[in-house]
Amino acid sequence: LLSLASLRSLTRALTTLLLLSALALCIAWFAFPLDPSRLAQIPQARRVLDRDGRLLRLETGVDGTLAIPVPLDQTSPWLAKAIIAAEDKRFESHPGIDPLAIARAVTQNASSGRVISGASTLSTQIMRMTRPQPRTLAVKAGEALHALQMETHLTKPEILSQYLNRAPFGGNLAGVEAACRAWFGKSAAQVSLAEAALLMGLPQSPGRLRPDRNPEGAAKRRD
């Protein structure tokens, strides 16, 4: 058991650490603000329509992706539910980073001596999508900071919309509308629960889980 003196010393050390962490966060918050332009431009392909407005074909955008931006309220509710279940179970309650996931990842990685668990959220993944960089500790810290900042400017539905319109779904497909049309031949508003579950399993590893190349792996991830 800790002595009273040791307990007081530990309390002072933890208090000092928390105060220094809060001070560092305040300094970083103002020193490294989130650039709003990172969220303003959603990937978009060139659409060729017929005289009645029906889609004939898509042509890749300037970044080489096939993407069709779609409002969140024009997607199946299963898509949002599935991505939260697959990638960020506490999305509705955390502020952009998930302290419980971070603690779990630190504990598991430290005990195993290697990286076996991550702590990314939908918000930090959006930051990664808008500015891909090498996965260094400094880059991850910057993404976490900008995820916190984004959550003060956007609502949770707006953040979900950002994710669903940017996430990779295999090949050069970006966003749920293009992915639903490519994999299921239907719009994002029409997908079923099973289709949403399969689709939302892809961003974890879109190359490895492509349903045309690895149907068994995609189905296992879906299930």
Side-chain angles (χ1 to χ4, degrees):
L1 295 176
L2 290 173
S3 66
L4 183 58
S6 297
L7 184 59
R8 288 174 176 170
S9 178
L10 178 60
T11 301
R12 285 195 297 269
L14 289 175
T15 302
T16 300
L17 179 61
L18 288 173
L19 289 174
L20 289 175
S21 299
L23 178 61
L25 177 60
C26 288
I27 294 173
W29 191 277
F30 293 101
F32 304 101
L34 174 64
D35 181 359
S37 66
R38 289 177 64 176
L39 302 173
Q41 298 297 322
I42 300 291
Q44 184 167 352
R46 182 171 179 267
R47 287 178 283 182
V48 179
L49 310 176
D50 66 14
R51 67 177 63 187
D52 298 316
R54 290 187 293 264
L55 181 67
L56 294 178
R57 70 175 186 274
L58 291 175
E59 297 177 356
T60 57
V62 294
D63 59 354
T65 61
L66 284 175
I68 308 172
V70 60
L72 183 64
D73 61 7
Q74 293 181 25
T75 67
S76 166
W78 290 122
L79 290 168
K81 292 178 183 294
I83 197 58
I84 290 173
E87 294 287 338
D88 193 354
K89 292 179 176 62
R90 286 178 289 274
F91 170 75
E92 296 290 351
S93 60
H94 67 62
I97 60 174
D98 186 346
L100 292 177
I102 293 173
R104 181 208 66 224
V106 169
T107 302
Q108 291 180 347
N109 296 339
S111 62
S112 66
R114 60 189 180 89
V115 177
I116 62 171
S117 178
S120 66
T121 63
L122 295 184
S123 297
T124 58
Q125 290 182 52
I126 291 169
M127 293 299 100
R128 187 186 314 161
M129 293 174 201
T130 59
R131 186 173 294 171
Q133 299 180 76
R135 309 304 302 144
T136 65
L137 188 59
V139 167
K140 292 180 181 180
E143 290 171 351
L145 173 65
H146 288 151
L148 289 169
Q149 293 173 336
M150 178 179 66
E151 294 253 356
T152 67
H153 295 290
L154 301 182
T155 64
K156 289 293 186 177
E158 288 171 337
I159 292 170
L160 274 175
S161 181
Q162 284 277 337
Y163 184 93
L164 292 175
N165 278 302
R166 294 180 183 276
F169 291 100
N172 62 346
L173 298 172
V176 293
E177 184 67 20
C180 288
R181 290 179 182 275
W183 297 130
F184 308 129
K186 60 180 67 174
S187 74
Q190 299 172 309
V191 294
S192 65
L193 170 58
E195 291 166 338
L198 186 146
L199 196 66
M200 293 301 103
L202 297 184
Q204 184 187 69
S205 183
R208 181 174 60 85
L209 295 174
R210 281 181 56 163
D212 58 337
R213 294 181 180 177
N214 184 10
E216 295 84 5
K220 182 179 180 180
R221 170 73 170 156
R222 174 203 64 195
D223 295 343

